[in-house]
């Protein structure tokens, strides 16, 4: 067999590999050799070859009764089949077999079939009359005869070329080749050079469109400016528009509607859909009922690019019914809010660094890899663009054909000033915001990126901004995102754009800008007293100081409108600090947020009014008191004076009606604390080593930490706080006997979920009745001999260094708890078992566990499948520190990993070996192969790995269910 290969005319390395078809041939030629091989077929093959269409023609295949498997594969690997019906075509069983396979591929694989009637009446083929009737006499009794006739009829009914209608054969060949090229074009879409990294987005969007179904669908493509929405829409339009009876791509709807009005765009849309290419913006186009009825019978494809508002979208396609069955509309926008009517929304994400570098290199060097010697510079430029295609192309174009020195200069410049072409495109999203939304955006860009959404929302609300709705608008316009940890995030280029807007408020004088965040500029404004009443927010990182900063007492006097003030450090040990040798005269009365780590004075200015203050954070300060007298703290929600070791008193907080959180950790000079705000939820007195007396009246209290204080007793009122969820009493060396009697038998229903204590005489006889308790810390309870039955809700127990505990009995108790209480409790309450963790002293896994080893892995040859719940792991940890250490277990079946469990450990120091018990639920495993008749799993291997922690031994208990309950499997 001699295979004739020709490179496809539209094949190119610049096309996306995932969209290009994997088929081997563009065209398969089916013909009767004796009739047309030396004449028409050879001419057609040559014409296709000249147009670089990869065409298969079989010249040397041996003919037989049936077509070969090789030829079947060739037909399947072709986009188009051209069937040349000639006078004696039906005489060949081989040809008829080819035709049957071709029609099968048309039906099942969507192959395009082009019939050509060469010097024969199409009706003879369609009805098997004339010469075809005579030829079929020779096939009488052939079992495939009816199938061949059906294939002939079906093929002859397709749109075809008839040689009898042409005076010259060359004209016929020309038209057939044009037809082939037209049909191949959508299969090989006209992808723009340099288009990389969009395959995943493209495939997702095309699948959502479901081209071919009769329903009318509207799809939204959404993302930040420059991210590639228009590029994707163009690719879709290039590939799919040919499948529709009418199509229109409206570019730059935002800009064009501003220039000409939405009505003019609507006229253009309808004109193109009707095929009237002579439209003009200033010529009215009447959309009559007749026009709508015509379009209603037409299947159309519409792309509306860069739609800014809901009104624009509604005005362009308000007559949703004007589109015929099977029509599709693709809308690109930066504003997610406009997509209320669309069927699906597809978000376009940033390119990976790999694809970003490819796109940048194609733009600069016209190759997919950086030019030799420019590798590091190209990576630096790519990193700046952070996956935004527009930025990669703009920056790449600006660096093309320039020297290394020019590259280095441009990249240094970008560290101070953004590229204005990129800035202008990104700023369009900002320009569409209202005044409050702009303020919210600028605050996040300058101060709050990376902070918790709830905290930022509360702060912005305190600034009198409409924070909840404003943040949603910014999300909808792709100006911000929310991380998995509920943090507000922002693309680097978007943040740079926002900060540039503030910079442009006054280029040369930072003291006349609304927000200050650059260390050098804040330092200058503070030191030389350059602030003005324009400044609203300031942030200074103490860790960036290169020397102590000494300020005048009136350095803030002219900044009367400051609402946000933050001097902070990530570390409590600052090398340098801000000092006020002559004190501080004043603070802005409009202050909502005051955060000043290491504050060097003993109190705030006497004239400071805290009426508008929402959050006060002054960690590691020299404060002895906040202020004299009683302040109207009507808006105050948070006080954090962590590490203020000289603090001797806190103010009267009875008027703080909104106060929720007070943190006085490590305020070692405090002897008593009384908080009488009715709204208080959290009171943290951890490490207040001199504290002997405290009281709190709030019924809203949920968390109370008295750990490492000198309190001697707990007021009985604490046990009756209905909403109290967490109580921490660890390290209270003066605390006498602590019982749980008040919790159990009090008249009020409790909701305690976390309890920590190492009191010498800690009574636990009724601990099992704490029905909501989830976590229990008993570390260093040296006299604790035994544990009672644990409440079924308990999922975490820490009994580190409880040296008097009986290891064997404790291990049996914990296993019993996990088996009889915790696991059924989890299943019943539809909870997961990720955080199950029980730690207590012990040197060995109990003897009942046969599946145990001192090695790092163990294999169980057979496990019965029926009613297998999961596994309990008992791990013996060596004594020592377990801070920032971890343990993981990988589960393999026949060499394939089917399960994985990881746990981070945070225990400061173990004075002896300890037992760690964890549960691994079978529902968290991947599919495990069933051997035999599905009764058991085979060759299940458990591999334990550790980071920093040392494992002495581990054991595994398979857990099974039965009518009488759950059971541990202790032996094979």
């Amino acid at each position: 067999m001699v295979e004739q290969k020709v490179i496809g005319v539209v094949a190119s390395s610049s096309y996306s590999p995932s969209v290009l078809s994997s088929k081997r041939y563009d065209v398969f030629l089916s013909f009767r050799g004796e009739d047309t091989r030396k004449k028409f077929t050879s001419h057609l093959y040559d014409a296709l070859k000249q147009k670089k269409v990869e065409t298969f023609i079989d010249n040397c295949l041996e003919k037989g009764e049936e077509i070969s498997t090789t030829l079947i594969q060739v037909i399947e690997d072709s986009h188009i089949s051209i069937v040349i019906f000639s006078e004696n075509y039906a005489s060949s069983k081989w040809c008829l077999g080819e035709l049957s396979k071709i029609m099968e591929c048309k039906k099942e694989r969507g192959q395009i079939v082009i019939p050509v009637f060469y010097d024969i009446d199409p009706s003879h083929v369609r009805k098997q009359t004339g010469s075809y009737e005579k030829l079929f006499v020779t096939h009488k009794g052939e079992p495939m005869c009816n199938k061949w006739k059906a294939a002939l009829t079906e093929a002859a009914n397709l749109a075809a070329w008839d040689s009898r209608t042409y005076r010259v054969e060359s004209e016929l060949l020309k038209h057939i080749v044009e037809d082939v090229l037209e049909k191949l074009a959508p299969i090989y879409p006209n992808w723009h050079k340099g288009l990389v990294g969009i395959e995943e987005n493209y495939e997702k969007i095309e699948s959502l469109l479901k081209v071919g179904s009769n329903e009318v669908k509207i799809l939204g493509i959404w993302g930040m400016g420059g991210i590639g929405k228009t590029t994707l829409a163009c690719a879709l339009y290039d590939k799919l528009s040919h499948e529709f009876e009418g199509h229109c791509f409206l570019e730059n709807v935002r800009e064009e509607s501003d220039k000409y009005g939405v009505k003019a765009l609507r006229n253009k849309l309808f004109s193109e859909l009707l095929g009237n290419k002579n439209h003009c913006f200033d010529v009215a186009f009447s959309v009559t009922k007749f026009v709508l009825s015509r379009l209603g019978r037409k299947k159309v494809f519409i792309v509306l690019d860069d739609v800014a508002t809901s009104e624009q979208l509604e005005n362009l396609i308000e007559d949703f019914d004007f589109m015929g069955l099977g029509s599709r509309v693709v809308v690109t926008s930066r504003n997610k809010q406009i997509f209320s009517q669309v069927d699906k929304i597809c978000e376009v994400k940033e390119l990976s660094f790999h694809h970003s570098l490819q796109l940048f290199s194609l733009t600069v060097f016209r190759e997919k890899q950086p030019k030799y010697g420019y590798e590091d510079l190209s990576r630096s430029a790519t990193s700046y663009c952070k996956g935004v295609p527009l930025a990669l192309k703009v920056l790449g174009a600006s660096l093309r054909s320039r020297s290394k020195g020019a590259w280095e200069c441009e990249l240094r410049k970008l560290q101070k000033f953004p590229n204005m072409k990129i800035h202008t495109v990104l700023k369009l999203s900002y320009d569409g915001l209202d005044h409050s939304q702009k303020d919210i955006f600028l605050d996040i860009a300058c101060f709050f990126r990376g902070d918790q959404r709830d905290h930022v929302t509360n702060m912005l609300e305190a600034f009198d901004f409409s924070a909840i709705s404003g943040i949603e608008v910014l999300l909808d316009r792709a100006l911000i995102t929310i991380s998995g940890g509920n943090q507000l995030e922002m693309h680097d280029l978007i943040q740079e754009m926002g900060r540039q807007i503030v910079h442009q408020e006054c280029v040369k004088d930072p003291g006349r800008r609304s927000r200050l965040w650059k260390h050098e500029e804040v330092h200058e404004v503070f030191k030389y007293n350059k602030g003005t009443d324009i400044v609203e927010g300031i942030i200074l990182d103490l860790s960036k100081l290169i020397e102590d900063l000494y300020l005048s007492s009136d350095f803030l006097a002219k900044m009367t409108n400051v609402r946000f003030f933050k001097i902070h450090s990530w570390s409590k040990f600052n090398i340098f600090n801000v000092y006020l040798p002559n004190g501080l005269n004043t603070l802005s009365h409009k202050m909502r947020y005051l955060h000043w780590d290491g504050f060097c004075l003993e109190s705030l200015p006497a004239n400071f009014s805290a009426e508008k203050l929402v959050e006060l954070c002054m960690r590691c300060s020299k404060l002895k008191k906040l202020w004299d007298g009683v302040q109207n703290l009507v808006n105050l929600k948070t006080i954090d004076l962590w590490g203020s070791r000289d603090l001797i008193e806190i103010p009267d907080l009875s008027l703080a009606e909104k106060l929720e959180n007070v943190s006085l950790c490590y305020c070692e000079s405090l002897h008593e604390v009384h908080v009488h705000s009715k709204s208080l939820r959290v009171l943290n007195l951890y490490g207040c080593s001199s504290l002997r007396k405290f009281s709190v009246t709030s019924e809203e209290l949920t968390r109370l930490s008295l750990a490492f204080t000198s309190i001697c007793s707990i007021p009985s009122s604490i046990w009756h706080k209905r909403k109290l969820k967490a109580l921490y009493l660890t390290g209270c060396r003066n605390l006498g006997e602590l019982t749980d009697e008040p919790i159990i038998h009090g008249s009020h229903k409790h909701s305690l979920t976390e309890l920590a204590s190492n009191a010498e005489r800690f009574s636990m006889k009724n601990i099992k009745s704490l029905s909501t308790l989830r976590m229990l810390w008993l570390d260093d309870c040296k006299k604790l001999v035994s544990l009672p039955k644990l409440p079924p809700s308990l999922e975490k127990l820490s009994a580190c260094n409880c040296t008097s505990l009986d290891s064997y009995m404790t291990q049996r108790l914990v296993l019993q708890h996990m088996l009889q209480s915790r696991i059924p409790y989890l299943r019943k309450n539809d909870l997961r078992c990720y955080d199950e963790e029980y730690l207590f002293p012990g040197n060995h896994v109990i003897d009942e566990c046969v599946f145990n080893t001192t090695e790092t892995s163990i294999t169980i040859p057979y496990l019965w499948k029926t009613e297998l719940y999961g596994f309990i792991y008992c791990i013996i940890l060596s004594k020592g520190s377990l801070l920032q250490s971890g343990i993981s277990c990988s589960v393999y079946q026949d060499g394939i990993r089917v399960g994985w469990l990881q746990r981070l450990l945070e225990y400061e120091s173990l004075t002896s070996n300890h037992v760690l018990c964890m549960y691994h639920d079978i529902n968290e495993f991947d599919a495990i192969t069933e051997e035999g008749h599905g009764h058991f799993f085979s060759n299940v291997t458990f591999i334990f790995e550790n980071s920093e922690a040392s494992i002495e031994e581990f054991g595994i208990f398979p857990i099974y269910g039965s009518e009488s309950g759950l059971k541990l499997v202790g032996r094979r």
Side-chain angles (χ1 to χ4, degrees):
M1 169 184 171
V2 178
E3 293 185 5
Q4 313 254 353
K5 295 184 179 179
V6 184
I7 297 177
V9 64
V10 287
S12 169
S13 61
S14 63
Y15 296 140
S16 168
S18 69
V19 177
L20 284 179
S21 172
S22 60
K23 290 186 180 295
R24 188 174 178 185
Y25 299 98
D26 294 323
V27 173
F28 173 83
L29 294 178
S30 177
F31 60 97
R32 175 65 170 152
E34 296 175 5
D35 287 355
T36 65
R37 184 190 302 278
K38 294 181 180 181
K39 297 182 291 183
F40 178 81
T41 299
S42 63
H43 296 157
L44 176 59
Y45 173 77
D46 190 59
L48 292 169
K49 181 179 178 181
Q50 288 180 17
K51 292 295 184 180
K52 307 301 182 187
V53 177
E54 192 167 0
T55 305
F56 177 84
I57 180 172
D58 75 287
N59 285 320
C60 300
L61 282 174
E62 283 190 23
K63 304 300 185 185
E65 291 296 310
E66 296 181 358
I67 62 173
S68 67
T69 55
T70 302
L71 196 61
I72 289 173
Q73 187 62 49
V74 170
I75 294 172
E76 291 178 347
D77 278 352
S78 301
H79 290 297
I80 297 173
S81 284
I82 298 178
V83 184
I84 303 169
F85 292 114
S86 56
E87 188 74 18
N88 296 303
Y89 184 92
S91 66
S92 169
K93 295 180 182 179
W94 182 277
C95 289
L96 293 172
E98 278 183 1
L99 180 64
S100 296
K101 181 61 183 177
I102 287 168
M103 300 313 293
E104 178 185 313
C105 288
K106 176 183 181 297
K107 181 179 180 181
E108 297 179 2
R109 299 170 180 261
Q111 189 177 97
I112 299 169
V113 179
I114 301 176
V116 177
F117 299 104
Y118 186 75
D119 287 339
I120 189 170
D121 187 337
S123 66
H124 291 178
V125 181
R126 185 180 304 113
K127 301 177 181 179
Q128 293 91 56
T129 57
S131 62
Y132 276 48
E133 183 178 15
K134 296 176 183 177
L135 292 171
F136 263 87
V137 172
T138 63
H139 303 319
K140 189 174 181 180
E142 180 65 42
M144 299 295 291
C145 191
N146 289 335
K147 185 176 181 179
W148 292 339
K149 288 183 177 181
L152 286 167
T153 300
E154 183 181 357
N157 279 318
L158 298 174
W161 298 96
D162 188 349
S163 66
R164 298 178 307 160
T165 63
Y166 286 84
R167 291 184 302 163
V168 290
E169 194 170 276
S170 60
E171 194 72 10
L172 171 62
L173 291 170
K174 176 185 174 183
H175 286 168
I176 292 174
V177 172
E178 288 175 349
D179 187 24
V180 169
L181 292 176
E182 184 178 347
K183 287 180 167 61
L184 283 174
I187 299 172
Y188 297 93
N190 183 25
W191 289 71
H192 305 290
K193 185 177 181 180
L195 194 62
V196 294
I198 70 165
E199 296 89 349
E200 185 176 340
N201 279 323
Y202 182 92
E203 291 175 349
K204 179 180 179 181
I205 295 171
E206 187 177 6
S207 67
L208 290 173
L209 280 173
K210 296 181 179 178
V211 175
S213 67
N214 282 332
E215 53 199 325
V216 177
K217 282 188 171 294
I218 301 181
L219 178 72
I221 301 179
W222 170 69
M224 63 178 280
I227 202 68
K229 304 181 295 295
T230 300
T231 302
L232 278 167
C234 285
L236 288 164
Y237 189 79
D238 286 344
K239 181 180 180 184
L240 302 176
S241 58
H242 79 283
E243 298 187 25
F244 296 80
E245 297 168 312
H247 44 82
C248 176
F249 192 113
L250 279 186
E251 298 180 85
N252 302 321
V253 170
R254 176 203 307 266
E255 183 180 342
E256 297 294 305
S257 62
D258 289 342
K259 287 182 181 178
Y260 306 107
V262 179
K263 185 176 181 181
L265 286 182
R266 182 173 163 83
N267 289 341
K268 178 181 178 181
L269 172 64
F270 277 77
S271 181
E272 287 206 12
L273 293 178
L274 288 171
N276 175 18
K277 300 297 183 182
N278 297 320
H279 56 267
C280 183
F281 279 115
D282 56 1
V283 175
F285 181 87
S286 178
V287 184
T288 63
K289 289 185 178 180
F290 176 62
V291 169
L292 293 176
S293 65
R294 288 171 60 197
L295 286 173
R297 296 189 291 270
K298 202 169 187 179
K299 177 182 173 183
V300 298
F301 187 82
I302 301 170
V303 174
L304 305 177
D305 177 49
D306 194 22
V307 179
T309 67
S310 300
E311 291 74 21
Q312 289 173 356
L313 182 59
E314 291 169 3
N315 288 329
L316 286 171
I317 56 171
E318 62 181 350
D319 298 307
F320 190 83
D321 294 336
F322 77 76
M323 292 178 279
L325 295 177
S327 294
R328 297 291 183 271
V329 180
V330 174
V331 183
T332 76
S333 180
R334 307 177 186 203
N335 184 2
K336 196 175 184 180
Q337 291 176 312
I338 74 163
F339 292 135
S340 58
Q341 296 184 37
V342 307
D343 298 294
K344 294 286 184 181
I345 302 173
C346 187
E347 180 182 2
V348 184
K349 300 283 190 178
E350 297 91 346
L351 297 179
S352 67
F353 185 84
H354 170 71
H355 285 132
S356 296
L357 185 59
Q358 276 192 2
L359 180 56
F360 179 80
S361 300
L362 283 166
T363 305
V364 183
F365 308 111
R366 292 180 171 83
E367 296 177 1
K368 287 190 174 183
Q369 299 297 327
K371 185 178 177 181
Y372 177 76
Y374 284 80
E375 295 90 347
D376 290 342
L377 288 169
S378 295
R379 290 188 180 93
S380 296
T382 301
S383 296
Y384 168 80
C385 296
K386 293 296 187 296
V388 177
L390 170 79
L392 291 160
K393 291 179 181 178
V394 169
L395 185 57
S398 70
L399 295 172
R400 187 183 299 145
S401 302
R402 298 180 68 180
S403 67
K404 285 186 179 180
W407 277 57
E408 291 167 351
C409 180
E410 184 67 23
L411 292 176
R412 284 196 301 270
K413 179 182 173 183
L414 287 174
Q415 294 177 4
K416 297 182 178 180
F417 307 104
N419 182 292
M420 292 312 296
K421 287 185 179 179
I422 300 171
H423 171 84
T424 301
V425 173
L426 297 178
K427 188 173 177 288
L428 289 172
S429 298
Y430 170 84
D431 292 336
L433 303 174
D434 65 27
H435 182 73
S436 175
Q437 292 160 0
K438 287 180 177 178
D439 274 329
I440 292 171
F441 170 74
L442 295 179
D443 272 1
I444 295 173
C446 296
F447 303 133
F448 299 136
R449 180 183 177 185
D451 289 356
Q452 289 289 319
R453 178 178 183 172
D454 293 342
H455 180 257
V456 177
T457 300
N458 292 334
M459 194 55 55
L460 294 171
E461 289 287 348
F463 299 153
D464 297 326
F465 301 150
S466 301
I468 296 176
S469 61
I471 287 176
E472 288 180 357
V473 168
L474 299 186
L475 287 167
D476 287 340
R477 302 204 177 191
L479 288 169
I480 62 173
T481 58
I482 303 296
S483 72
N486 203 34
Q487 296 165 309
L488 291 178
E489 293 295 346
M490 180 180 285
H491 193 280
D492 286 357
L493 294 180
I494 295 288
Q495 182 179 39
E496 185 180 76
M497 177 267 291
R499 291 184 167 184
Q500 179 65 14
I501 290 171
V502 176
H503 181 80
Q504 292 295 323
E505 292 173 353
C506 188
V507 175
K508 294 185 177 181
D509 186 358
R512 300 189 63 81
R513 298 181 200 145
S514 60
R515 296 160 179 86
L516 300 174
W517 67 90
K518 284 187 177 180
H519 173 77
E520 301 82 5
E521 293 177 344
V522 174
H523 187 279
E524 178 186 344
V525 169
F526 280 3
K527 189 170 183 178
Y528 300 106
N529 201 5
K530 288 186 175 182
T532 68
D533 60 358
I534 294 174
V535 179
E536 298 179 23
I538 307 170
I539 188 168
L540 174 67
D541 187 349
L542 290 173
S543 66
K544 294 183 179 179
L545 289 178
I546 58 174
E547 61 182 3
D548 288 330
L549 179 59
Y550 291 89
L551 302 177
S552 66
S553 60
D554 61 349
F555 85 101
L556 289 173
K558 290 186 287 187
M559 291 187 275
T560 56
N561 288 314
V562 172
R563 53 183 169 82
F564 175 85
F565 186 90
K566 185 174 183 178
I567 296 178
H568 72 106
S569 174
W570 293 108
S571 171
K572 61 182 178 181
F573 304 109
N574 297 319
I575 300 176
F576 303 109
N577 202 2
V578 175
Y579 291 99
L580 301 161
N582 299 314
L584 181 63
N585 289 342
T586 185
L587 283 168
S588 168
H589 294 338
K590 295 185 179 180
M591 193 80 71
R592 265 78 161 186
Y593 180 95
L594 176 57
H595 183 146
W596 195 329
D597 291 341
F599 185 67
C600 62
L601 303 179
E602 294 183 356
S603 69
L604 292 170
N607 62 357
F608 173 58
S609 172
E611 184 174 348
K612 293 185 179 294
L613 199 62
V614 173
E615 186 164 330
L616 177 65
C617 181
M618 307 190 82
R619 298 171 181 168
C620 300
S621 72
K622 295 296 182 181
L623 287 167
K624 289 188 176 180
K625 60 181 177 180
L626 286 172
W627 49 67
D628 290 318
V630 179
Q631 286 260 19
N632 182 9
L633 304 173
V634 64
N635 291 300
L636 190 63
K637 290 186 176 182
T638 299
I639 296 177
D640 185 356
L641 302 177
W642 187 96
S644 297
R645 301 181 186 276
D646 299 329
L647 190 71
I648 58 176
E649 66 176 71
I650 62 171
D652 184 349
L653 300 173
S654 58
L655 297 181
E657 299 175 354
K658 298 179 181 179
L659 187 64
E660 296 178 355
N661 193 324
V662 174
S663 176
L664 302 172
C665 298
Y666 297 108
C667 292
E668 295 174 349
S669 298
L670 276 175
H671 289 83
E672 56 183 279
V673 170
H674 305 285
V675 184
H676 299 305
S677 170
K678 296 181 179 180
S679 57
L680 188 69
R681 295 183 181 179
V682 177
L683 178 59
N684 194 345
L685 300 171
Y686 186 103
C688 293
S689 54
S690 300
L691 186 72
R692 289 182 172 273
K693 297 180 180 180
F694 86 98
S695 63
V696 56
T697 56
S698 173
E699 294 301 321
E700 301 299 315
L701 193 68
T702 60
R703 302 180 75 86
L704 174 62
S705 177
L706 297 166
F708 298 97
T709 63
S710 295
I711 60 168
C712 299
S713 62
I714 303 295
S716 60
S717 60
I718 294 299
W719 303 111
H720 300 292
K721 302 291 184 186
R722 295 186 181 186
K723 297 182 179 180
L724 186 64
K725 293 182 178 293
L727 177 61
Y728 304 100
L729 302 171
T730 304
C732 295
R733 59 183 182 275
N734 296 329
L735 188 61
E737 182 174 2
L738 178 68
T739 71
D740 52 7
E741 291 292 328
I743 308 177
I744 307 305
H745 300 297
S747 59
H748 300 286
K749 183 178 180 181
H750 67 86
S751 56
L752 200 65
T753 60
E754 300 178 28
L755 177 61
S757 175
N758 56 3
E760 288 295 326
R761 296 181 297 278
F762 183 63
S763 172
M764 293 190 59
K765 59 184 178 181
N766 291 317
I767 199 74
K768 64 181 180 181
S769 300
L770 293 172
S771 59
T772 58
L773 195 66
R774 292 175 52 243
M775 302 180 187
L776 179 61
W777 288 272
L778 303 171
D779 299 348
D780 299 309
C781 286
K782 308 295 185 183
K783 296 183 180 181
L784 186 64
V785 177
S786 63
L787 295 175
K789 185 175 182 180
L790 303 172
S793 56
L794 191 73
E795 63 184 52
K796 193 180 292 287
L797 168 69
S798 177
C800 288
N801 305 326
C802 294
T803 53
S804 298
L805 271 180
D806 184 300
S807 176
Y808 179 79
M809 295 303 296
T810 303
Q811 196 169 161
R812 288 186 61 87
L813 173 72
V814 167
L815 289 171
Q816 185 181 30
H817 164 72
M818 296 176 73
L819 193 66
Q820 297 183 0
S821 300
R822 181 63 186 158
I823 298 172
Y825 177 85
L826 287 166
R827 295 282 179 125
K828 181 179 179 180
N829 292 277
D830 194 27
L831 298 174
R832 296 183 180 271
C833 318
Y834 292 138
D835 298 327
E836 285 260 65
E837 190 175 305
Y838 306 85
L839 187 74
F840 47 88
N843 288 311
H844 300 288
V845 178
I846 59 175
D847 295 337
E848 285 87 340
C849 181
V850 173
F851 300 123
N852 68 312
T853 181
T854 56
E855 304 296 327
T856 58
S857 67
I858 189 171
T859 298
I860 302 178
Y862 299 103
L863 279 172
W864 289 102
K865 169 199 167 190
T866 307
E867 298 298 327
L868 178 63
Y869 265 55
F871 305 92
I872 290 178
Y873 304 141
C874 292
I875 303 168
I876 306 300
L877 302 174
S878 298
K879 67 179 182 179
S881 175
L882 294 182
L883 281 176
Q884 298 182 346
S885 61
I887 287 178
S888 66
C889 177
S890 298
V891 186
Y892 293 82
Q893 185 194 14
D894 294 327
I896 300 173
R897 191 166 84 167
V898 295
W900 185 62
L901 181 71
Q902 184 181 43
R903 189 62 43 82
L904 295 177
L905 305 176
E906 293 292 339
Y907 301 102
E908 290 190 11
S909 180
L910 304 182
T911 58
S912 63
N913 290 354
H914 277 58
V915 183
L916 175 67
C917 293
M918 303 184 297
Y919 176 65
H920 199 174
D921 198 297
I922 196 70
N923 291 329
E924 304 303 328
F925 283 57
D926 297 329
I928 301 181
T929 306
E930 299 176 10
E931 299 291 342
H933 299 287
H935 297 308
F936 57 83
F937 303 128
S938 65
N939 298 322
V940 183
T941 299
F942 299 80
I943 300 177
F944 284 82
E945 297 175 315
N946 58 290
S947 169
E948 304 300 329
S950 179
I951 300 176
E952 299 278 336
E953 178 187 6
F954 68 83
I956 300 170
F957 288 97
I959 307 300
Y960 284 89
S962 66
E963 292 183 0
S964 58
L966 298 180
K967 294 182 178 180
L968 294 169
V969 175
R971 51 174 172 261
R972 302 179 196 279

